[in-house]
Amino acid sequence: MSTLQPKHQRLVLGGLAAVLLIVAALVAAWALRSEASYFYLPGQMLSDPPEPGRNVRLGGMVREGSLDTEADGVTVTFLVDDGADATGQAVPVRYAGILPDLFVEGSGVVADGRLAADGTFVAETLLAKHDENYVPRELEEMTAAQARAVVADTETAPAQSANVP
């Protein structure tokens, strides 16, 4: 038999639930802190760099003429700037792996990786951004009429499926 009155038992249970909820929130915050990836522009990374080894994202433009492939054929280095001034500050990036199809000098890129102690951003993944004039290879090989038919099919397909009971 419990010596606590029902009113006090509810108070103890409520207190335990609050403590468990706070502990769960702290564990979730700690886990997200180690997995969160902050996004930096080149100017931000140069003026207020993240601590070396912290996982961050760098987004900007690949500077024209800066792309260099090393002797191993897999590792590339290039500069990422904000695209406004080609003579301005840029972050040196090093990446070892297969480059995305759309990755070219002068295009947008988002690199996920870590800033090394020497100021070089070591990318683990690269995402190439394309401009508004991008056309998929499949559509390039089609005639204009075929491309319009494919686009029309893709635009009407969700409407047809919405009518299905």
Side-chain angles (χ1 to χ4, degrees):
M1 290 296 231
S2 176
T3 60
L4 293 175
Q5 296 178 354
K7 177 180 173 184
H8 292 122
Q9 288 176 347
R10 287 191 299 264
L11 186 62
V12 169
L13 287 175
L16 283 174
V19 168
L20 289 175
L21 191 62
I22 291 171
V23 168
L26 290 174
V27 169
W30 179 78
L32 288 176
R33 190 184 131 253
S34 63
E35 294 298 322
S37 178
Y38 295 100
F39 183 82
Y40 283 83
L41 294 172
Q44 293 171 329
M45 185 166 282
L46 292 171
S47 64
D48 186 23
E51 63 253 17
R54 183 181 176 98
N55 192 25
V56 295
R57 286 186 171 183
L58 171 67
M61 304 296 288
V62 178
R63 183 176 282 179
E64 295 278 346
S66 67
L67 184 62
D68 184 36
T69 303
E70 294 187 2
D72 62 0
V74 176
T75 305
V76 295
T77 58
F78 53 93
L79 297 174
V80 173
D81 61 21
D82 59 4
D85 182 12
T87 60
Q89 295 180 334
V91 176
V93 177
R94 180 183 176 100
Y95 174 71
I98 298 172
L99 292 174
D101 289 340
L102 299 175
F103 182 83
V104 293
E105 292 179 346
S107 69
V109 66
V110 176
D112 191 4
R114 293 175 170 78
L115 188 64
D118 65 351
T120 301
F121 189 81
V122 179
E124 295 170 358
T125 60
L126 286 181
L127 299 173
K129 297 172 22 181
H130 60 77
D131 63 4
E132 65 274 0
N133 297 324
Y134 172 74
V135 177
R137 288 183 188 157
E138 295 82 12
L139 291 180
E140 282 181 344
E141 298 169 357
M142 295 180 182
T143 64
Q146 290 173 326
R148 279 193 296 273
V150 169
V151 170
D153 286 346
T154 58
E155 290 177 348
T156 59
Q160 290 173 348
S161 66
N163 292 335
V164 175

